[in-house]
Amino acid sequence: MKRLLTVILLLATPLAAVAQVPTIELANDTASGVTFTLSIQILVLMTLLTLLPAVILSTTAFVRIIIVLSILRQALGTAQTPPNQVLLGVALFLTFFVMKPVIDSVYETAAAPYIAGEIDAETAMEKGIRPLRNFMLNQTRASDLELFAGIARIDNMDSAEDAPLSIVIPSFVVSELKTAFQIGFLIFIPFLVIDLVVSSVLMSMGMMMLSPMLISLPFKIMLFVLVDGWSMLLGTLASSFFS
C-alpha cells in the first residue's frame, strides 16, 4: 500500500508543482504579461486532482473488472445485491492485485530514485509511465490501435511501441470494454437458460400472473453458489490479465 501511495503521488507531482509558485505569467506578442493569482492556480490544481482518479482507473484493470461484476449482478437479477460499495471494493482490491507488478516496477524504476534525489521529476515521469504503458499495450487489440491512429492521421507508426499515449489510452479503454462485454455475455448465458426454463414451466402450468424472475432467482443463486462462482469469476478475471 505504501508503494501504491508513492506511485500516485509521483503521478501527481507535475500537478502539485503548479502550486509551488506564487504566480504564473504568460507573455504575449506585445511583451506584456498576464498573471494568474494563486487562488486561480489552486482552482486549476484542485480541478486536475479531481480528474486524476478517473484517469488512473481508466488506465488500469478496473474498467474490465467493474463492468463484469455489474453484468453479473444484472444476470443474477439481484437488483442492488451486492450493493455498489461492495462491488467497488472488490473491483478496487482485485485491481490492486492485478496491477501490483506494474506498481512495483514503477516504484523501483521511478518513484524510489526520485525520492532519493537521483533523478528529476521529468525523468521519473518518463520512466514511471513505461510499465503502465506496456501493461496497456499488452491488453490492447491491434485493430483498436489502428483505429485511433487512423483517426489521428498517424501513419508513421512501425509498431505499437511507437504509439503515443494519446492513442494508447483510448485504444486500451475500448479494448477493455470489448473484453468485458465478451466475458459478460458468457456469464449471462447460463442464467438466461434458467430464466427460459422457469418461464416455460410457468407458462405450461398456466401461472401467467407469477413473475418468472421471482421463481428463477433462488435457482440462479443456488447454481452460482454450487459452482463456487465468486472464486471462479474473480480468479478468471485476474488470470485474464496475465495470459
Side-chain angles (χ1 to χ4, degrees), residues 123-160:
T123 304
M125 283 296 298
E126 292 177 357
K127 291 186 176 182
I129 205 66
R130 291 174 189 169
L132 184 61
R133 175 192 177 91
N134 292 334
F135 169 81
M136 289 190 290
L137 287 175
N138 290 336
Q139 307 298 327
T140 303
R141 294 175 173 84
S143 59
D144 294 324
L145 277 173
E146 294 174 359
L147 170 64
F148 285 96
I151 295 174
R153 298 181 180 179
I154 299 178
D155 302 324
N156 57 350
M157 278 197 328
D158 296 329
S159 64

PDB file of all heavy atoms in Angstrom, residues 123-160:
ATOM      1  N   THR A 123      12.294  13.032 -15.571  1.00  0.00           N
ATOM      2  CA  THR A 123      12.843  11.694 -15.841  1.00  0.00           C
ATOM      3  C   THR A 123      12.045  10.619 -15.121  1.00  0.00           C
ATOM      4  O   THR A 123      11.806   9.539 -15.665  1.00  0.00           O
ATOM      5  CB  THR A 123      14.317  11.633 -15.406  1.00  0.00           C
ATOM      6  OG1 THR A 123      15.066  12.667 -16.063  1.00  0.00           O
ATOM      7  CG2 THR A 123      14.928  10.278 -15.757  1.00  0.00           C
ATOM      8  N   ALA A 124      11.627  10.908 -13.884  1.00  0.00           N
ATOM      9  CA  ALA A 124      10.825   9.939 -13.126  1.00  0.00           C
ATOM     10  C   ALA A 124       9.500   9.672 -13.827  1.00  0.00           C
ATOM     11  O   ALA A 124       9.035   8.529 -13.877  1.00  0.00           O
ATOM     12  CB  ALA A 124      10.590  10.448 -11.710  1.00  0.00           C
ATOM     13  N   MET A 125       8.877  10.715 -14.377  1.00  0.00           N
ATOM     14  CA  MET A 125       7.620  10.528 -15.093  1.00  0.00           C
ATOM     15  C   MET A 125       7.819   9.672 -16.337  1.00  0.00           C
ATOM     16  O   MET A 125       7.015   8.795 -16.648  1.00  0.00           O
ATOM     17  CB  MET A 125       7.024  11.891 -15.468  1.00  0.00           C
ATOM     18  CG  MET A 125       6.358  12.622 -14.327  1.00  0.00           C
ATOM     19  SD  MET A 125       4.905  11.752 -13.695  1.00  0.00           S
ATOM     20  CE  MET A 125       3.866  11.763 -15.143  1.00  0.00           C
ATOM     21  N   GLU A 126       8.903   9.918 -17.067  1.00  0.00           N
ATOM     22  CA  GLU A 126       9.178   9.146 -18.283  1.00  0.00           C
ATOM     23  C   GLU A 126       9.410   7.672 -17.957  1.00  0.00           C
ATOM     24  O   GLU A 126       8.902   6.787 -18.653  1.00  0.00           O
ATOM     25  CB  GLU A 126      10.395   9.718 -18.994  1.00  0.00           C
ATOM     26  CG  GLU A 126      10.166  11.101 -19.591  1.00  0.00           C
ATOM     27  CD  GLU A 126      11.416  11.660 -20.235  1.00  0.00           C
ATOM     28  OE1 GLU A 126      12.469  10.981 -20.168  1.00  0.00           O
ATOM     29  OE2 GLU A 126      11.348  12.765 -20.802  1.00  0.00           O
ATOM     30  N   LYS A 127      10.183   7.410 -16.896  1.00  0.00           N
ATOM     31  CA  LYS A 127      10.442   6.020 -16.515  1.00  0.00           C
ATOM     32  C   LYS A 127       9.220   5.373 -15.879  1.00  0.00           C
ATOM     33  O   LYS A 127       8.979   4.173 -16.069  1.00  0.00           O
ATOM     34  CB  LYS A 127      11.624   5.958 -15.538  1.00  0.00           C
ATOM     35  CG  LYS A 127      12.964   6.302 -16.168  1.00  0.00           C
ATOM     36  CD  LYS A 127      14.098   6.077 -15.174  1.00  0.00           C
ATOM     37  CE  LYS A 127      15.445   6.331 -15.835  1.00  0.00           C
ATOM     38  NZ  LYS A 127      16.575   6.079 -14.897  1.00  0.00           N
ATOM     39  N   GLY A 128       8.451   6.158 -15.129  1.00  0.00           N
ATOM     40  CA  GLY A 128       7.304   5.595 -14.437  1.00  0.00           C
ATOM     41  C   GLY A 128       6.157   5.233 -15.362  1.00  0.00           C
ATOM     42  O   GLY A 128       5.369   4.337 -15.054  1.00  0.00           O
ATOM     43  N   ILE A 129       6.048   5.921 -16.491  1.00  0.00           N
ATOM     44  CA  ILE A 129       4.937   5.655 -17.397  1.00  0.00           C
ATOM     45  C   ILE A 129       5.185   4.415 -18.252  1.00  0.00           C
ATOM     46  O   ILE A 129       4.230   3.850 -18.806  1.00  0.00           O
ATOM     47  CB  ILE A 129       4.678   6.888 -18.297  1.00  0.00           C
ATOM     48  CG1 ILE A 129       3.221   6.907 -18.777  1.00  0.00           C
ATOM     49  CG2 ILE A 129       5.637   6.909 -19.473  1.00  0.00           C
ATOM     50  CD1 ILE A 129       2.222   7.118 -17.697  1.00  0.00           C
ATOM     51  N   ARG A 130       6.427   3.978 -18.378  1.00  0.00           N
ATOM     52  CA  ARG A 130       6.733   2.847 -19.250  1.00  0.00           C
ATOM     53  C   ARG A 130       6.064   1.543 -18.811  1.00  0.00           C
ATOM     54  O   ARG A 130       5.464   0.855 -19.640  1.00  0.00           O
ATOM     55  CB  ARG A 130       8.254   2.662 -19.355  1.00  0.00           C
ATOM     56  CG  ARG A 130       8.960   3.769 -20.130  1.00  0.00           C
ATOM     57  CD  ARG A 130      10.458   3.608 -20.063  1.00  0.00           C
ATOM     58  NE  ARG A 130      11.139   4.781 -20.626  1.00  0.00           N
ATOM     59  CZ  ARG A 130      12.436   4.984 -20.503  1.00  0.00           C
ATOM     60  NH1 ARG A 130      13.197   4.117 -19.830  1.00  0.00           N
ATOM     61  NH2 ARG A 130      12.979   6.068 -21.039  1.00  0.00           N
ATOM     62  N   PRO A 131       6.155   1.138 -17.524  1.00  0.00           N
ATOM     63  CA  PRO A 131       5.472  -0.109 -17.133  1.00  0.00           C
ATOM     64  C   PRO A 131       3.969  -0.050 -17.338  1.00  0.00           C
ATOM     65  O   PRO A 131       3.355  -1.031 -17.783  1.00  0.00           O
ATOM     66  CB  PRO A 131       5.827  -0.255 -15.639  1.00  0.00           C
ATOM     67  CG  PRO A 131       7.073   0.548 -15.463  1.00  0.00           C
ATOM     68  CD  PRO A 131       6.942   1.697 -16.407  1.00  0.00           C
ATOM     69  N   LEU A 132       3.354   1.094 -17.037  1.00  0.00           N
ATOM     70  CA  LEU A 132       1.914   1.239 -17.251  1.00  0.00           C
ATOM     71  C   LEU A 132       1.577   1.194 -18.728  1.00  0.00           C
ATOM     72  O   LEU A 132       0.578   0.604 -19.142  1.00  0.00           O
ATOM     73  CB  LEU A 132       1.428   2.549 -16.628  1.00  0.00           C
ATOM     74  CG  LEU A 132      -0.083   2.820 -16.667  1.00  0.00           C
ATOM     75  CD1 LEU A 132      -0.831   1.735 -15.908  1.00  0.00           C
ATOM     76  CD2 LEU A 132      -0.394   4.191 -16.096  1.00  0.00           C
ATOM     77  N   ARG A 133       2.424   1.811 -19.542  1.00  0.00           N
ATOM     78  CA  ARG A 133       2.224   1.808 -20.986  1.00  0.00           C
ATOM     79  C   ARG A 133       2.317   0.379 -21.535  1.00  0.00           C
ATOM     80  O   ARG A 133       1.505  -0.040 -22.364  1.00  0.00           O
ATOM     81  CB  ARG A 133       3.267   2.702 -21.636  1.00  0.00           C
ATOM     82  CG  ARG A 133       3.258   2.693 -23.154  1.00  0.00           C
ATOM     83  CD  ARG A 133       4.518   3.383 -23.663  1.00  0.00           C
ATOM     84  NE  ARG A 133       4.574   3.333 -25.110  1.00  0.00           N
ATOM     85  CZ  ARG A 133       4.077   4.251 -25.909  1.00  0.00           C
ATOM     86  NH1 ARG A 133       3.467   5.306 -25.394  1.00  0.00           N
ATOM     87  NH2 ARG A 133       4.176   4.136 -27.213  1.00  0.00           N
ATOM     88  N   ASN A 134       3.312  -0.383 -21.050  1.00  0.00           N
ATOM     89  CA  ASN A 134       3.466  -1.776 -21.505  1.00  0.00           C
ATOM     90  C   ASN A 134       2.266  -2.623 -21.101  1.00  0.00           C
ATOM     91  O   ASN A 134       1.821  -3.486 -21.861  1.00  0.00           O
ATOM     92  CB  ASN A 134       4.754  -2.376 -20.938  1.00  0.00           C
ATOM     93  CG  ASN A 134       5.999  -1.734 -21.515  1.00  0.00           C
ATOM     94  OD1 ASN A 134       5.970  -1.209 -22.630  1.00  0.00           O
ATOM     95  ND2 ASN A 134       7.089  -1.763 -20.769  1.00  0.00           N
ATOM     96  N   PHE A 135       1.748  -2.377 -19.890  1.00  0.00           N
ATOM     97  CA  PHE A 135       0.562  -3.103 -19.447  1.00  0.00           C
ATOM     98  C   PHE A 135      -0.613  -2.823 -20.367  1.00  0.00           C
ATOM     99  O   PHE A 135      -1.339  -3.748 -20.771  1.00  0.00           O
ATOM    100  CB  PHE A 135       0.225  -2.710 -18.003  1.00  0.00           C
ATOM    101  CG  PHE A 135      -1.118  -3.207 -17.538  1.00  0.00           C
ATOM    102  CD1 PHE A 135      -1.272  -4.515 -17.094  1.00  0.00           C
ATOM    103  CD2 PHE A 135      -2.230  -2.375 -17.550  1.00  0.00           C
ATOM    104  CE1 PHE A 135      -2.508  -4.979 -16.664  1.00  0.00           C
ATOM    105  CE2 PHE A 135      -3.467  -2.833 -17.130  1.00  0.00           C
ATOM    106  CZ  PHE A 135      -3.605  -4.137 -16.685  1.00  0.00           C
ATOM    107  N   MET A 136      -0.834  -1.558 -20.692  1.00  0.00           N
ATOM    108  CA  MET A 136      -1.955  -1.209 -21.555  1.00  0.00           C
ATOM    109  C   MET A 136      -1.791  -1.804 -22.950  1.00  0.00           C
ATOM    110  O   MET A 136      -2.759  -2.301 -23.540  1.00  0.00           O
ATOM    111  CB  MET A 136      -2.105   0.320 -21.627  1.00  0.00           C
ATOM    112  CG  MET A 136      -2.611   0.945 -20.350  1.00  0.00           C
ATOM    113  SD  MET A 136      -3.059   2.699 -20.532  1.00  0.00           S
ATOM    114  CE  MET A 136      -1.422   3.405 -20.734  1.00  0.00           C
ATOM    115  N   LEU A 137      -0.586  -1.772 -23.487  1.00  0.00           N
ATOM    116  CA  LEU A 137      -0.357  -2.322 -24.833  1.00  0.00           C
ATOM    117  C   LEU A 137      -0.580  -3.830 -24.859  1.00  0.00           C
ATOM    118  O   LEU A 137      -1.066  -4.373 -25.860  1.00  0.00           O
ATOM    119  CB  LEU A 137       1.061  -1.994 -25.304  1.00  0.00           C
ATOM    120  CG  LEU A 137       1.311  -0.534 -25.699  1.00  0.00           C
ATOM    121  CD1 LEU A 137       2.783  -0.314 -26.036  1.00  0.00           C
ATOM    122  CD2 LEU A 137       0.436  -0.136 -26.888  1.00  0.00           C
ATOM    123  N   ASN A 138      -0.237  -4.520 -23.767  1.00  0.00           N
ATOM    124  CA  ASN A 138      -0.441  -5.971 -23.716  1.00  0.00           C
ATOM    125  C   ASN A 138      -1.921  -6.342 -23.720  1.00  0.00           C
ATOM    126  O   ASN A 138      -2.279  -7.452 -24.117  1.00  0.00           O
ATOM    127  CB  ASN A 138       0.227  -6.557 -22.467  1.00  0.00           C
ATOM    128  CG  ASN A 138       1.737  -6.528 -22.555  1.00  0.00           C
ATOM    129  OD1 ASN A 138       2.309  -6.508 -23.652  1.00  0.00           O
ATOM    130  ND2 ASN A 138       2.407  -6.506 -21.418  1.00  0.00           N
ATOM    131  N   GLN A 139      -2.785  -5.432 -23.274  1.00  0.00           N
ATOM    132  CA  GLN A 139      -4.218  -5.704 -23.222  1.00  0.00           C
ATOM    133  C   GLN A 139      -4.989  -5.057 -24.365  1.00  0.00           C
ATOM    134  O   GLN A 139      -6.212  -5.176 -24.424  1.00  0.00           O
ATOM    135  CB  GLN A 139      -4.796  -5.196 -21.890  1.00  0.00           C
ATOM    136  CG  GLN A 139      -4.074  -5.693 -20.650  1.00  0.00           C
ATOM    137  CD  GLN A 139      -4.122  -7.192 -20.495  1.00  0.00           C
ATOM    138  OE1 GLN A 139      -5.101  -7.834 -20.880  1.00  0.00           O
ATOM    139  NE2 GLN A 139      -3.063  -7.781 -19.949  1.00  0.00           N
ATOM    140  N   THR A 140      -4.290  -4.383 -25.262  1.00  0.00           N
ATOM    141  CA  THR A 140      -4.945  -3.621 -26.329  1.00  0.00           C
ATOM    142  C   THR A 140      -4.895  -4.384 -27.641  1.00  0.00           C
ATOM    143  O   THR A 140      -3.854  -4.934 -28.010  1.00  0.00           O
ATOM    144  CB  THR A 140      -4.276  -2.248 -26.508  1.00  0.00           C
ATOM    145  OG1 THR A 140      -4.309  -1.545 -25.267  1.00  0.00           O
ATOM    146  CG2 THR A 140      -4.995  -1.426 -27.563  1.00  0.00           C
ATOM    147  N   ARG A 141      -5.999  -4.413 -28.341  1.00  0.00           N
ATOM    148  CA  ARG A 141      -6.059  -5.049 -29.659  1.00  0.00           C
ATOM    149  C   ARG A 141      -5.389  -4.170 -30.704  1.00  0.00           C
ATOM    150  O   ARG A 141      -5.503  -2.935 -30.663  1.00  0.00           O
ATOM    151  CB  ARG A 141      -7.513  -5.319 -30.062  1.00  0.00           C
ATOM    152  CG  ARG A 141      -8.223  -6.335 -29.194  1.00  0.00           C
ATOM    153  CD  ARG A 141      -9.684  -6.437 -29.604  1.00  0.00           C
ATOM    154  NE  ARG A 141     -10.377  -7.510 -28.910  1.00  0.00           N
ATOM    155  CZ  ARG A 141     -10.902  -7.398 -27.701  1.00  0.00           C
ATOM    156  NH1 ARG A 141     -10.821  -6.242 -27.061  1.00  0.00           N
ATOM    157  NH2 ARG A 141     -11.506  -8.414 -27.127  1.00  0.00           N
ATOM    158  N   ALA A 142      -4.731  -4.812 -31.652  1.00  0.00           N
ATOM    159  CA  ALA A 142      -4.069  -4.066 -32.723  1.00  0.00           C
ATOM    160  C   ALA A 142      -5.079  -3.283 -33.557  1.00  0.00           C
ATOM    161  O   ALA A 142      -4.792  -2.173 -34.025  1.00  0.00           O
ATOM    162  CB  ALA A 142      -3.262  -5.024 -33.613  1.00  0.00           C
ATOM    163  N   SER A 143      -6.276  -3.852 -33.742  1.00  0.00           N
ATOM    164  CA  SER A 143      -7.299  -3.172 -34.539  1.00  0.00           C
ATOM    165  C   SER A 143      -7.728  -1.854 -33.892  1.00  0.00           C
ATOM    166  O   SER A 143      -7.992  -0.868 -34.591  1.00  0.00           O
ATOM    167  CB  SER A 143      -8.515  -4.078 -34.721  1.00  0.00           C
ATOM    168  OG  SER A 143      -9.067  -4.444 -33.464  1.00  0.00           O
ATOM    169  N   ASP A 144      -7.779  -1.816 -32.558  1.00  0.00           N
ATOM    170  CA  ASP A 144      -8.155  -0.584 -31.873  1.00  0.00           C
ATOM    171  C   ASP A 144      -7.058   0.470 -31.987  1.00  0.00           C
ATOM    172  O   ASP A 144      -7.338   1.660 -32.142  1.00  0.00           O
ATOM    173  CB  ASP A 144      -8.468  -0.871 -30.400  1.00  0.00           C
ATOM    174  CG  ASP A 144      -9.697  -1.727 -30.229  1.00  0.00           C
ATOM    175  OD1 ASP A 144     -10.637  -1.563 -31.020  1.00  0.00           O
ATOM    176  OD2 ASP A 144      -9.719  -2.583 -29.318  1.00  0.00           O
ATOM    177  N   LEU A 145      -5.802   0.026 -31.901  1.00  0.00           N
ATOM    178  CA  LEU A 145      -4.697   0.961 -32.095  1.00  0.00           C
ATOM    179  C   LEU A 145      -4.731   1.557 -33.504  1.00  0.00           C
ATOM    180  O   LEU A 145      -4.539   2.764 -33.693  1.00  0.00           O
ATOM    181  CB  LEU A 145      -3.362   0.256 -31.860  1.00  0.00           C
ATOM    182  CG  LEU A 145      -2.882   0.115 -30.410  1.00  0.00           C
ATOM    183  CD1 LEU A 145      -1.630  -0.743 -30.342  1.00  0.00           C
ATOM    184  CD2 LEU A 145      -2.616   1.477 -29.798  1.00  0.00           C
ATOM    185  N   GLU A 146      -4.978   0.698 -34.483  1.00  0.00           N
ATOM    186  CA  GLU A 146      -5.043   1.173 -35.868  1.00  0.00           C
ATOM    187  C   GLU A 146      -6.210   2.134 -36.065  1.00  0.00           C
ATOM    188  O   GLU A 146      -6.105   3.111 -36.817  1.00  0.00           O
ATOM    189  CB  GLU A 146      -5.165  -0.016 -36.812  1.00  0.00           C
ATOM    190  CG  GLU A 146      -3.938  -0.919 -36.825  1.00  0.00           C
ATOM    191  CD  GLU A 146      -4.155  -2.173 -37.658  1.00  0.00           C
ATOM    192  OE1 GLU A 146      -5.277  -2.330 -38.204  1.00  0.00           O
ATOM    193  OE2 GLU A 146      -3.210  -2.978 -37.768  1.00  0.00           O
ATOM    194  N   LEU A 147      -7.324   1.865 -35.379  1.00  0.00           N
ATOM    195  CA  LEU A 147      -8.494   2.738 -35.493  1.00  0.00           C
ATOM    196  C   LEU A 147      -8.168   4.152 -35.040  1.00  0.00           C
ATOM    197  O   LEU A 147      -8.399   5.122 -35.772  1.00  0.00           O
ATOM    198  CB  LEU A 147      -9.646   2.163 -34.664  1.00  0.00           C
ATOM    199  CG  LEU A 147     -10.867   3.076 -34.489  1.00  0.00           C
ATOM    200  CD1 LEU A 147     -11.542   3.343 -35.824  1.00  0.00           C
ATOM    201  CD2 LEU A 147     -11.848   2.457 -33.491  1.00  0.00           C
ATOM    202  N   PHE A 148      -7.627   4.293 -33.824  1.00  0.00           N
ATOM    203  CA  PHE A 148      -7.362   5.630 -33.294  1.00  0.00           C
ATOM    204  C   PHE A 148      -6.159   6.278 -33.980  1.00  0.00           C
ATOM    205  O   PHE A 148      -6.103   7.512 -34.086  1.00  0.00           O
ATOM    206  CB  PHE A 148      -7.152   5.559 -31.780  1.00  0.00           C
ATOM    207  CG  PHE A 148      -8.426   5.368 -31.023  1.00  0.00           C
ATOM    208  CD1 PHE A 148      -8.843   4.110 -30.619  1.00  0.00           C
ATOM    209  CD2 PHE A 148      -9.230   6.454 -30.720  1.00  0.00           C
ATOM    210  CE1 PHE A 148     -10.018   3.939 -29.927  1.00  0.00           C
ATOM    211  CE2 PHE A 148     -10.418   6.295 -30.023  1.00  0.00           C
ATOM    212  CZ  PHE A 148     -10.812   5.029 -29.629  1.00  0.00           C
ATOM    213  N   ALA A 149      -5.199   5.469 -34.420  1.00  0.00           N
ATOM    214  CA  ALA A 149      -4.090   6.037 -35.188  1.00  0.00           C
ATOM    215  C   ALA A 149      -4.586   6.602 -36.513  1.00  0.00           C
ATOM    216  O   ALA A 149      -4.121   7.653 -36.966  1.00  0.00           O
ATOM    217  CB  ALA A 149      -3.016   4.974 -35.426  1.00  0.00           C
ATOM    218  N   GLY A 150      -5.548   5.904 -37.132  1.00  0.00           N
ATOM    219  CA  GLY A 150      -6.128   6.410 -38.368  1.00  0.00           C
ATOM    220  C   GLY A 150      -6.925   7.683 -38.156  1.00  0.00           C
ATOM    221  O   GLY A 150      -6.872   8.607 -38.964  1.00  0.00           O
ATOM    222  N   ILE A 151      -7.669   7.741 -37.042  1.00  0.00           N
ATOM    223  CA  ILE A 151      -8.441   8.957 -36.736  1.00  0.00           C
ATOM    224  C   ILE A 151      -7.500  10.137 -36.504  1.00  0.00           C
ATOM    225  O   ILE A 151      -7.772  11.261 -36.947  1.00  0.00           O
ATOM    226  CB  ILE A 151      -9.336   8.724 -35.511  1.00  0.00           C
ATOM    227  CG1 ILE A 151     -10.404   7.659 -35.820  1.00  0.00           C
ATOM    228  CG2 ILE A 151      -9.996  10.019 -35.062  1.00  0.00           C
ATOM    229  CD1 ILE A 151     -11.243   7.270 -34.629  1.00  0.00           C
ATOM    230  N   ALA A 152      -6.371   9.879 -35.811  1.00  0.00           N
ATOM    231  CA  ALA A 152      -5.395  10.933 -35.540  1.00  0.00           C
ATOM    232  C   ALA A 152      -4.466  11.186 -36.724  1.00  0.00           C
ATOM    233  O   ALA A 152      -3.611  12.076 -36.646  1.00  0.00           O
ATOM    234  CB  ALA A 152      -4.567  10.564 -34.309  1.00  0.00           C
ATOM    235  N   ARG A 153      -4.615  10.407 -37.799  1.00  0.00           N
ATOM    236  CA  ARG A 153      -3.804  10.551 -39.009  1.00  0.00           C
ATOM    237  C   ARG A 153      -2.320  10.389 -38.718  1.00  0.00           C
ATOM    238  O   ARG A 153      -1.478  11.183 -39.158  1.00  0.00           O
ATOM    239  CB  ARG A 153      -4.069  11.903 -39.675  1.00  0.00           C
ATOM    240  CG  ARG A 153      -5.520  12.074 -40.144  1.00  0.00           C
ATOM    241  CD  ARG A 153      -5.739  13.405 -40.823  1.00  0.00           C
ATOM    242  NE  ARG A 153      -7.145  13.529 -41.261  1.00  0.00           N
ATOM    243  CZ  ARG A 153      -7.643  14.605 -41.866  1.00  0.00           C
ATOM    244  NH1 ARG A 153      -6.855  15.655 -42.108  1.00  0.00           N
ATOM    245  NH2 ARG A 153      -8.907  14.635 -42.232  1.00  0.00           N
ATOM    246  N   ILE A 154      -2.027   9.349 -37.938  1.00  0.00           N
ATOM    247  CA  ILE A 154      -0.637   8.995 -37.650  1.00  0.00           C
ATOM    248  C   ILE A 154      -0.282   7.794 -38.516  1.00  0.00           C
ATOM    249  O   ILE A 154      -0.751   6.678 -38.282  1.00  0.00           O
ATOM    250  CB  ILE A 154      -0.443   8.665 -36.159  1.00  0.00           C
ATOM    251  CG1 ILE A 154      -0.800   9.880 -35.305  1.00  0.00           C
ATOM    252  CG2 ILE A 154       0.999   8.239 -35.886  1.00  0.00           C
ATOM    253  CD1 ILE A 154      -0.695   9.643 -33.812  1.00  0.00           C
ATOM    254  N   ASP A 155       0.537   8.023 -39.523  1.00  0.00           N
ATOM    255  CA  ASP A 155       0.875   6.968 -40.485  1.00  0.00           C
ATOM    256  C   ASP A 155       2.292   6.436 -40.329  1.00  0.00           C
ATOM    257  O   ASP A 155       2.690   5.521 -41.039  1.00  0.00           O
ATOM    258  CB  ASP A 155       0.708   7.498 -41.924  1.00  0.00           C
ATOM    259  CG  ASP A 155      -0.708   7.997 -42.193  1.00  0.00           C
ATOM    260  OD1 ASP A 155      -1.645   7.382 -41.655  1.00  0.00           O
ATOM    261  OD2 ASP A 155      -0.851   9.001 -42.920  1.00  0.00           O
ATOM    262  N   ASN A 156       3.067   7.023 -39.450  1.00  0.00           N
ATOM    263  CA  ASN A 156       4.472   6.634 -39.328  1.00  0.00           C
ATOM    264  C   ASN A 156       4.731   5.706 -38.145  1.00  0.00           C
ATOM    265  O   ASN A 156       5.828   5.680 -37.600  1.00  0.00           O
ATOM    266  CB  ASN A 156       5.350   7.879 -39.207  1.00  0.00           C
ATOM    267  CG  ASN A 156       4.946   8.762 -38.035  1.00  0.00           C
ATOM    268  OD1 ASN A 156       3.893   8.542 -37.430  1.00  0.00           O
ATOM    269  ND2 ASN A 156       5.766   9.754 -37.722  1.00  0.00           N
ATOM    270  N   MET A 157       3.720   4.953 -37.721  1.00  0.00           N
ATOM    271  CA  MET A 157       3.892   4.005 -36.623  1.00  0.00           C
ATOM    272  C   MET A 157       4.346   2.660 -37.185  1.00  0.00           C
ATOM    273  O   MET A 157       3.597   1.984 -37.880  1.00  0.00           O
ATOM    274  CB  MET A 157       2.582   3.818 -35.837  1.00  0.00           C
ATOM    275  CG  MET A 157       2.333   4.885 -34.815  1.00  0.00           C
ATOM    276  SD  MET A 157       1.079   4.406 -33.585  1.00  0.00           S
ATOM    277  CE  MET A 157      -0.011   3.362 -34.497  1.00  0.00           C
ATOM    278  N   ASP A 158       5.576   2.277 -36.872  1.00  0.00           N
ATOM    279  CA  ASP A 158       6.088   0.988 -37.329  1.00  0.00           C
ATOM    280  C   ASP A 158       5.609  -0.153 -36.438  1.00  0.00           C
ATOM    281  O   ASP A 158       5.478  -1.295 -36.883  1.00  0.00           O
ATOM    282  CB  ASP A 158       7.626   1.006 -37.367  1.00  0.00           C
ATOM    283  CG  ASP A 158       8.148   2.020 -38.382  1.00  0.00           C
ATOM    284  OD1 ASP A 158       7.455   2.239 -39.390  1.00  0.00           O
ATOM    285  OD2 ASP A 158       9.237   2.583 -38.158  1.00  0.00           O
ATOM    286  N   SER A 159       5.357   0.138 -35.166  1.00  0.00           N
ATOM    287  CA  SER A 159       4.885  -0.871 -34.223  1.00  0.00           C
ATOM    288  C   SER A 159       4.059  -0.184 -33.146  1.00  0.00           C
ATOM    289  O   SER A 159       3.985   1.049 -33.078  1.00  0.00           O
ATOM    290  CB  SER A 159       6.066  -1.628 -33.590  1.00  0.00           C
ATOM    291  OG  SER A 159       6.860  -0.750 -32.822  1.00  0.00           O
ATOM    292  N   ALA A 160       3.449  -1.008 -32.286  1.00  0.00           N
ATOM    293  CA  ALA A 160       2.628  -0.455 -31.204  1.00  0.00           C
ATOM    294  C   ALA A 160       3.467   0.351 -30.221  1.00  0.00           C
ATOM    295  O   ALA A 160       2.955   1.267 -29.570  1.00  0.00           O
ATOM    296  CB  ALA A 160       1.916  -1.590 -30.471  1.00  0.00           C
TER     297      ALA A 160
END
